[in-house]
Amino acid sequence: ASRCVVTPAQDNAVAGRATTIGVSCADAHGNVLLAGGGGDFNLRAVASGPGPMSTRLVQGAGGAVQVECLATKAGLYSVAITCARSGAPLPGTPVQVEVDSEGVPDAAACTATLLSPAGNANFVAGK
């Protein structure tokens, strides 16, 4: 039987930027399991949350697999990582990923409400 260790992203993700979750798998003797031919990692990653989140498996350093996650909507997402063949979840999953807004307002999505100090809606230019 193989052993897998899932390492969640260290910081919150930012909308529109990829974040990674690390997955390192070894056999019962501690030998690192690498991707098979054609990039077959024998893993599957599926995300759910307040908006779509894409997931992609890539080979990382030292045989670790990285799950790259990208969402454009801020909120809390759940990333389930399973064995592709059996569907069994990896220990430590699903992983929670908090996605923050990028902090730059979109002018097309902003509104302004003008309030006068006196409480009336009459404004005079220059006063």
Side-chain angles (χ1 to χ4, degrees), residues 35-100:
D40 180 12
F41 296 105
N42 297 317
L43 298 174
R44 182 171 179 214
V46 177
S48 60
M53 175 182 267
S54 65
T55 59
R56 182 172 75 109
L57 299 171
V58 295
Q59 186 74 53
V65 174
Q66 294 180 335
V67 180
E68 287 186 353
C69 305
L70 176 66
T72 57
K73 183 172 179 69
L76 183 63
Y77 292 79
S78 179
V79 180
I81 305 170
T82 60
C83 176
R85 291 185 182 133
S86 70
L90 269 57
T93 67
V95 175
Q96 302 300 307
V97 178
E98 181 71 35
V99 177
D100 294 330

Side-chain angles (χ1 to χ4, degrees), residues 4-49:
C4 293
V5 176
V6 176
T7 307
Q10 296 299 314
D11 297 316
N12 286 0
V14 176
R17 296 185 199 153
T19 190
T20 58
I21 299 168
V23 179
S24 179
C25 295
D27 65 17
H29 305 287
N31 300 305
V32 174
L33 300 176
L34 301 174
D40 180 12
F41 296 105
N42 297 317
L43 298 174
R44 182 171 179 214
V46 177
S48 60

